[in-house]
């Protein structure tokens, strides 16, 4: 083996490098042509060691438990660093978490302040692609200002397990909604000439046993749910990178899964970028390379180091890896750097961030994503109340955010420091945007008194003396652990006590996802604020007072009880079989005849909207629907028009087929057009691979939610089959 390795090294020293030595070096910025042509020109000049430099990434923060010191060339406190090739003008890859803002690692001694967007679920609740794109562009701008050219955002995973600790990073339970929202975010990030990712590919639906858990699903159901979400996000966002997940999929680790990484992602979807591993998600050298993994990430945080140069050279010498595969890996990485603009428009660190402008973007996203779940008697917006009790949730200090690698630290201080856990996966961070202070500013004539909610009896006494009581309920969620589907601590008892004392009680929820509400029937008004981001206090106050008309709609179903879930037991280690298959979220509730607490797509307004004149016609392989939307109330507002489809293969189940966000003045009407992707009219055929549409009648329904159908139209369609390679415009 030593002789073979020596001969290989000699051959490499005398072959490809000679071209670089004999010819003038062409720097990356001097190349011309398509991104593929420019990448090929670079690879042709590179030595084997230079190629291998590109395929191995380092953790860019010190990790004392492992005795690891981050490379000094990396950005301090960040997620990752891949050395560049100075000889050829190829810049390093400076990588930053994540999809809610530019994050810093929890152990970093200095955490630069950046602007936090609301959670992924909050952005999905906007049902607004423009809002998603604006948020992505904001994150990308701050990443560039801080010297990052690869952003580890673009979280596409569907909400299959409502207790998943990372649901707040994701975009809901429906593949169309998740794919389009995250695709818009990715495009926004990459508008800054940096690379964005789509992650965590695939089926990363819980944190319990996330590194070794095996998640089993039938292929057709997989294609029509989780994979379709990724497919749509990749088509719309065109990310430079895809991050493969920790978990196993049908018995194979995602980062060494040839079916996922090569057959589906590349051969069928035609995606040209590079696959990076999640930090520590690689489990082998040759099997991972052959499966389609192009870059191992995060050496130092996990020390397996499968892609170090010696291991890769040994695998080549042993005949396990062909040198052409190494070329392909380097080519894909370089292609994405060229395609994004990261090479032609290199980043630099230490640039100013326009925090005021970015806070405005974050606040607008939060305001559009807050969901008014319940409003009996028109209790909201607050009007005429002169004595208001505000209770709990640290509402006098700030708003809650989610933990883990996506944690964005604000410019300024954590509003509520010292909450446990203070170390990983914490710390718990509250952004300094206090709902109480914002309410005081918006309601100067009202007497507003705060109680921390630590003593339910005392809070109830305060509530009894008020015209209106507002209780803030919180649930902290984070990467690496799953959470109970309930508010933290004894907050359910607190809400029940306050509601008993004052029948005019409003509950504002800051949670990572759906929670059970045993008190829901006892309170007239419920507001879902999610994790509302850096300006969340202002957004919440403006919705409560009516300065903003709520327009968010639920991207996830809220169950009445755990026994309504496909998997009522807590997430477990080992193998989990998703035998519910394609029936994620609302489709499961429809199939089982369960009445949810709040349905997917549900969201109230301070005005009212009416739909009429629904028309449907064919358009290519798909359909297009049009409907007139009218604001029939007395306030300006925005509505998320939802279109659902049922067909001969699933007559009792509706799928979200399209949506549109529309803003209307009182009395105004607009005709909205919604195109229907032909894949949403089809089922995946494993016998004849591809999307098969059966001949028959298809019902298109315009709706306020998955359970609130307003009007329907039926269209007869012929049989149709689309190959796996089909994509819009391809």
């Amino acid at each position: 083996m030593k002789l073979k390795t020596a001969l290989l090294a000699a051959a490499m020293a005398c072959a490809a490098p000679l071209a670089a030595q004999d010819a003038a070096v062409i720097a990356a910025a001097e190349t011309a042509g398509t991104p593929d042509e420019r990448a090929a020109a670079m690879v042709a000049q590179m030595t084997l060691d230079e190629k291998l430099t590109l395929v191995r990434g380092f953790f860019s923060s010190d990790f004392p438990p492992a005795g690891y010191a981050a490379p000094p060339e990396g950005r301090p406190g960040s997620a990752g660093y891949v050395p560049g090739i100075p000889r050829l003008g190829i810049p390093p890859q400076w990588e930053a978490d994540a999809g809610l803002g530019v994050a810093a690692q929890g152990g970093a001694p200095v955490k630069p302040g950046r602007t936090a967007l609301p959670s992924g679920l909050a952005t999905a609740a906007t049902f607004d692609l423009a809002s998603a794109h604006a948020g992505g562009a904001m994150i990308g701008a701050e990443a560039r200002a801080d010297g990052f050219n690869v952003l580890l955002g673009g979280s596409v995973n569907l909400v299959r397990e409502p207790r998943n600790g990372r649901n707040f990073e994701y975009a809901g339970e429906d593949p169309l909604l998740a794919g389009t929202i995250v695709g818009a975010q990715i495009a926004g990030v990459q508008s800054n000439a940096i690379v964005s990712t789509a992650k965590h590919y695939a089926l990363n639906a819980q944190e319990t046993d996330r590194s070794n858990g095996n998640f089993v699903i039938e292929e057709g159901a997989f294609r029509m749910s989780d994979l379709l979400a990724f497919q749509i996000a990749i088509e719309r966002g065109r990310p430079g990178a895809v991050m493969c997940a920790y978990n196993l999929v049908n018995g194979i680790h995602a980062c060494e899964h040839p079916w996922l990484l090569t057959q589906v992602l590349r051969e069928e979807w035609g995606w040209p970028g590079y696959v990076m591993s999640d930090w520590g998600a690689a489990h082998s050298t040759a099997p991972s390379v052959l499966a389609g993994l192009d870059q191992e990430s995060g050496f130092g945080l996990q020390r397996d180091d499968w892609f170090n140069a010696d291991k890769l050279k040994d695998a080549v010498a042993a005949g396990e890896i062909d040198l052409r595969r190494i070329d392909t890996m380097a080519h894909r990485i370089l292609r994405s750097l060229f395609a994004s603009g990261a090479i032609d428009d290199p980043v630099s660190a230490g640039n100013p961030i326009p925090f005021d402008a970015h806070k405005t973007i974050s606040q607008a996203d939060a305001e559009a994503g807050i969901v008014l779940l319940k409003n009996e008697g028109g209790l909201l917006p607050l009007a005429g109340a002169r004595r208001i009790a505000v209770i709990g949730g640290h509402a006098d200090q700030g708003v809650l955010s989610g933990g883990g690698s996506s944690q964005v630290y604000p410019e300024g201080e954590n509003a509520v420091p010292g909450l446990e856990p203070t170390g990983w996966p914490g710390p718990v961070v509250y952004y300094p945007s206090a709902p109480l202070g914002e309410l005081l500013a918006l309601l100067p004539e009202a007497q507003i008194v705060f109680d921390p909610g630590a003593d339910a009896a005392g809070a109830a006494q305060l509530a009894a003396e008020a015209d209106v009581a507002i209780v803030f309920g919180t649930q902290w969620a984070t990467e690496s652990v799953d959470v109970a589907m309930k508010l933290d601590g004894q907050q359910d008892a607190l809400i029940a006590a306050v509601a008993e004392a004052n029948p005019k009680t409003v509950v504002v929820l800051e949670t990572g996802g759906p929670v059970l509400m045993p008190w829901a029937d006892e309170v007239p008004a419920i507001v879902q604020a999610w994790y509302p981001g850096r300006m969340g206090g202002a957004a919440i106050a403006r919705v409560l007072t009516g300065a903003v008309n709520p327009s968010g709609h639920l991207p996830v179903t809220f169950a009445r009880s755990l026994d309504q879930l496909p998997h009522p037991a807590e997430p477990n280690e080992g193998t989990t079989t998703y035998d519910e298959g394609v029936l994620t979220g609302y489709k499961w509730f429809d199939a089982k005849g369960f009445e949810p607490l709040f349905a997917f797509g549900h969201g109230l307004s301070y005005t009212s909207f009416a739909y009429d004149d629904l028309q449907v016609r064919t358009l290519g392989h798909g359909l297009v629907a049009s409907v007139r939307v009218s604001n029939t109330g007395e306030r300006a507002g925005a509505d998320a028009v939802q279109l659902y489809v049922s067909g001969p293969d699933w007559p009792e189940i509706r799928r979200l087929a399209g949506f549109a966000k529309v803003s209307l003045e009182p009395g105004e009407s607009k005709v909205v057009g919604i195109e229907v992707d032909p894949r949403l009219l089809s089922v995946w055929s494993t016998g004849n691979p591809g999307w098969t549409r059966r001949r028959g009648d298809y019902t298109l329904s315009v709706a306020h939610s998955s359970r609130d159908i307003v009007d329907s139209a039926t269209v007869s369609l012929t049989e149709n089959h689309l190959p796996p390679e089909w994509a819009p415009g391809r």
Side-chain angles (χ1 to χ4, degrees):
M1 177 61 73
K2 290 183 179 178
L3 176 60
K4 189 171 184 179
T5 303
L7 291 172
L8 171 72
M12 292 307 302
C14 297
L18 283 178
Q21 293 166 6
D22 293 343
V25 171
I26 301 174
E30 298 170 350
T31 57
T34 67
D36 277 306
E37 290 168 342
R38 298 179 74 186
M42 283 292 95
V43 172
Q45 299 186 89
M46 294 170 68
T47 67
L48 178 59
D49 283 335
E50 287 171 336
K51 297 168 189 174
L52 296 181
T53 296
L54 294 177
V55 304
R56 180 192 185 213
F58 296 84
F59 191 45
S60 198
S61 298
D62 293 342
F63 190 48
Y68 174 77
E73 302 85 1
R75 307 294 188 211
S78 66
Y81 168 75
V82 181
I85 314 293
R87 181 178 74 88
L88 297 173
I90 298 170
Q93 295 159 61
W94 290 288
E95 301 168 323
D97 285 317
L100 310 181
V102 181
Q105 297 302 307
V110 177
K111 302 178 180 66
R114 286 123 178 186
T115 307
L117 283 178
S119 66
L121 283 177
T123 298
T126 70
F127 277 67
D128 188 344
L129 301 185
S131 184
H133 188 279
M138 184 212 81
I139 298 173
E142 294 200 0
R144 166 168 279 279
D146 276 337
F148 295 103
N149 53 16
V150 178
L151 190 78
L152 310 173
S155 301
V156 194
N157 301 94
L158 295 186
V159 175
R160 281 188 174 271
E161 171 51 74
R163 293 158 292 195
N164 178 12
R166 299 189 81 171
N167 280 338
F168 72 92
E169 298 182 43
Y170 302 152
E173 67 192 24
D174 181 82
L176 175 64
L177 179 64
T180 52
I181 288 288
V182 177
Q185 288 177 317
I186 290 169
V189 169
Q190 294 194 155
S191 68
N192 293 278
I194 64 175
V195 171
S196 185
T197 62
K199 68 180 189 182
H200 308 87
Y201 185 70
L203 221 60
N204 185 186
Q206 68 179 50
E207 291 298 282
T208 300
D209 199 24
R210 67 175 181 175
S211 293
N212 299 298
N214 178 31
F215 300 96
V216 176
I217 188 170
E218 184 269 328
E219 180 186 345
F222 197 14
R223 297 272 197 170
M224 295 165 64
S225 55
D226 305 71
L227 284 182
L228 182 57
F230 272 97
Q231 188 174 9
I232 291 171
I234 289 168
E235 290 167 357
R236 289 175 172 257
R238 301 183 182 276
V242 165
M243 181 190 294
C244 52
Y246 287 115
N247 52 278
L248 290 84
V249 176
N250 292 334
I252 303 172
H253 271 108
C255 288
E256 55 182 28
H257 205 303
W259 183 80
L260 279 176
L261 303 185
T262 297
Q263 178 179 328
V264 174
L265 188 59
R266 299 198 180 281
E267 295 175 0
E268 295 179 1
W269 296 355
W271 177 72
Y274 67 101
V275 176
M276 66 167 70
S277 71
D278 204 339
W279 272 225
H283 293 271
S284 62
T285 302
S288 295
V289 168
L290 297 177
L293 181 62
D294 300 304
Q295 187 180 78
E296 183 185 14
S297 306
F299 170 68
L301 183 63
Q302 284 91 11
R303 301 190 64 86
D304 292 334
D305 200 18
W306 294 106
F307 277 26
N308 73 49
D310 289 340
K311 286 184 179 179
L312 287 166
K313 287 178 179 178
D314 287 346
V316 171
E320 297 171 345
I321 300 173
D322 191 291
L323 281 171
R324 288 172 296 182
R325 175 69 182 108
I326 303 295
D327 287 353
T328 298
M329 295 160 71
H331 178 102
R332 288 170 175 167
I333 295 166
L334 291 169
R335 185 205 180 279
S336 289
L337 294 175
F338 280 119
S340 67
I343 287 178
D344 296 329
D345 188 6
V347 297
S348 61
N351 297 290
I353 293 174
F355 283 113
D356 288 344
H358 287 181
K359 286 178 183 177
T360 299
I361 294 171
S362 179
Q363 182 174 329
D365 194 38
E367 291 173 355
I370 290 173
V371 183
L372 180 59
L373 294 176
K374 186 177 181 181
N375 194 25
E376 290 181 352
L379 180 57
L380 294 176
L382 297 170
R386 290 294 173 259
R387 295 173 299 170
I388 301 173
V390 176
I391 298 166
H394 299 287
D396 61 328
Q397 296 169 285
V399 289
L400 184 59
S401 62
S405 63
S406 69
Q407 179 69 69
V408 180
Y409 293 88
E411 92 296 353
E413 298 297 320
N414 180 356
V416 189
L419 297 179
E420 294 292 338
T422 56
W424 176 263
V428 179
V429 174
Y430 276 74
Y431 296 132
S433 178
L436 177 63
E438 299 291 344
L439 286 169
L440 287 167
L442 289 169
L443 301 171
E445 304 300 321
Q447 178 187 4
I448 305 177
V449 182
F450 178 74
D451 184 283
D455 173 47
Q461 179 62 40
L462 180 67
E465 299 168 355
D467 297 328
V468 176
I470 306 172
V471 186
F472 283 78
T474 59
Q475 175 211 48
W476 185 65
T478 180
E479 178 183 358
S480 83
V481 294
D482 293 320
V483 295
M485 207 167 79
K486 63 186 292 293
L487 298 177
D488 294 337
Q490 302 303 310
Q491 293 180 82
D492 284 332
L494 170 67
I495 293 170
V498 170
E500 184 176 5
N502 189 329
K504 293 185 176 181
T505 292
V506 179
V507 176
V508 178
L509 298 171
E510 297 172 24
T511 69
V515 292
L516 301 177
M517 304 181 202
W519 35 262
D521 292 338
E522 310 305 320
V523 299
I526 305 172
V527 176
Q528 179 62 46
W530 316 102
Y531 297 147
R534 177 59 181 84
M535 298 300 292
I540 291 169
R542 283 166 57 79
V543 167
L544 291 176
T545 60
V548 166
N549 194 344
S551 64
H553 290 254
L554 289 181
V556 289
T557 302
F558 279 51
R560 290 184 177 274
S561 60
L562 291 177
D563 59 13
Q564 289 186 326
L565 303 179
H567 305 276
E570 293 183 358
N572 63 282
E573 297 183 352
T575 296
T576 298
T577 300
Y578 290 129
D579 45 17
E580 72 275 20
V582 73
L583 300 177
T584 55
Y586 64 94
K587 294 184 281 289
W588 169 262
F589 281 74
D590 289 348
K592 296 298 180 181
F594 294 149
E595 185 64 31
L597 181 62
F598 296 109
F600 174 89
H602 171 72
L604 303 177
S605 172
Y606 298 148
T607 189
S608 55
F609 298 96
Y611 305 150
D612 68 316
D613 196 23
L614 173 63
Q615 298 183 34
V616 181
R617 62 180 177 83
T618 58
L619 179 68
H621 294 289
L623 299 172
V624 62
S626 64
V627 62
R628 183 167 53 237
V629 186
S630 302
N631 183 341
T632 56
E634 299 179 355
R635 289 175 176 262
D639 188 33
V641 185
Q642 300 159 53
L643 187 71
Y644 294 85
V645 62
S646 58
D649 283 314
W650 65 101
E652 305 302 322
I653 307 298
R654 299 186 187 97
R655 293 178 183 169
L656 182 68
F659 59 90
K661 195 72 174 279
V662 56
S663 296
L664 297 169
E665 295 295 321
E668 184 181 10
S669 297
K670 290 181 181 178
V671 175
V672 175
I674 302 174
E675 291 188 19
V676 180
D677 189 311
R679 291 169 293 194
L680 296 169
L681 303 168
S682 309
V683 297
W684 182 268
S685 171
T686 53
N688 180 20
W691 299 93
T692 297
R693 185 183 72 204
R694 186 174 153 193
R695 173 190 292 273
D697 291 339
Y698 290 75
T699 300
L700 281 296
S701 302
V702 64
H704 296 301
S705 78
S706 65
R707 289 296 179 95
D708 188 358
I709 305 300
V710 176
D711 193 13
S712 298
T714 299
V715 58
S716 295
L717 297 176
T718 60
E719 184 176 346
N720 190 45
H721 181 81
L722 300 174
E725 297 80 14
W726 187 89
R730 184 178 172 191

